[in-house]
Amino acid sequence: MTTETTPVDLLPNGSLACRMGVLSRAFTATVSRLLQPFGVTPAQAHLFYELRKGTATPTEIARAMGVEPSSVSRLLGTMEKQGLVRREIDADDRTRINVTLSDDGEALAERIDFHADAIETAVQKALAPSELKQLGEWMERIARELQTVSHNGTD
């Protein structure tokens, strides 16, 4: 005997903004769940990702993460205390702070890479390559447009 099931809508009906918020929270919850055994937050994982590309300044990291520099400073302070990152004054420009992963940070970043790959794979399974490209373009356009929205919404 076959039992038919009705698919559940994971994104409830409602405004586009609300549905995007639900998707964003689902994404963050999944990432948090995957990183929890390592004691790493999604923000720390994003910082690991940025620093695996190479040395960066706190301002560069903040820009790449889409957050305020003060948020990055707090995150770096926590991760520095944990021995995961190093902040050093640039020898050529004493006003510049360079941030790098420590050996322990690099090792932890390698361990969590698998989980980042799992998220990427899930998205790739959901969409065809052309759709992935289109999604990337749409996300960029939406992000640009969101930057133009004023606080009072009258623009």
Side-chain angles (χ1 to χ4, degrees):
M1 179 170 162
T2 305
T3 305
E4 227 176 279
T5 59
T6 305
V8 175
D9 287 335
L10 298 177
L11 294 177
N13 291 330
S15 74
L16 182 60
C18 290
R19 296 180 79 205
M20 288 177 77
V22 170
L23 179 60
S24 176
R25 286 187 294 282
F27 178 85
T28 301
T30 299
V31 171
S32 294
R33 188 179 70 250
L34 292 172
L35 294 173
Q36 191 274 330
F38 301 98
V40 174
T41 67
Q44 288 173 319
H46 194 168
L47 193 131
F48 279 133
Y49 173 78
E50 295 304 326
L51 290 179
R52 299 242 18 232
K53 297 176 193 176
T55 300
T57 67
T59 302
E60 292 165 343
I61 294 166
R63 191 173 303 119
M65 292 178 67
V67 298
E68 294 296 319
S70 60
S71 297
V72 170
S73 291
R74 283 190 300 278
L75 185 59
L76 288 173
T78 299
M79 293 177 74
E80 193 172 34
K81 286 177 189 168
Q82 295 171 331
L84 301 172
V85 299
R86 287 189 300 272
R87 289 188 274 193
E88 299 168 343
I89 296 174
D90 189 305
D92 297 326
D93 179 355
R94 305 223 16 101
T95 65
R96 179 182 166 106
I97 302 291
N98 293 320
V99 182
T100 57
L101 288 174
S102 67
D103 290 343
D104 287 347
E106 185 66 42
L108 183 54
E110 285 179 27
R111 290 177 56 213
I112 66 172
D113 268 356
F114 169 79
H115 299 288
D117 291 345
I119 297 288
E120 191 83 12
T121 299
V123 173
Q124 289 172 347
K125 284 169 104 175
L127 301 171
S130 62
E131 292 172 321
L132 286 168
K133 183 176 187 247
Q134 188 70 58
L135 176 62
E137 292 168 1
W138 288 341
M139 289 189 314
E140 184 65 33
R141 285 175 30 201
I142 291 168
R144 278 197 188 112
E145 192 61 32
L146 288 173
Q147 288 179 333
T148 69
V149 176
S150 69
H151 179 69
N152 62 15
T154 59
D155 284 34

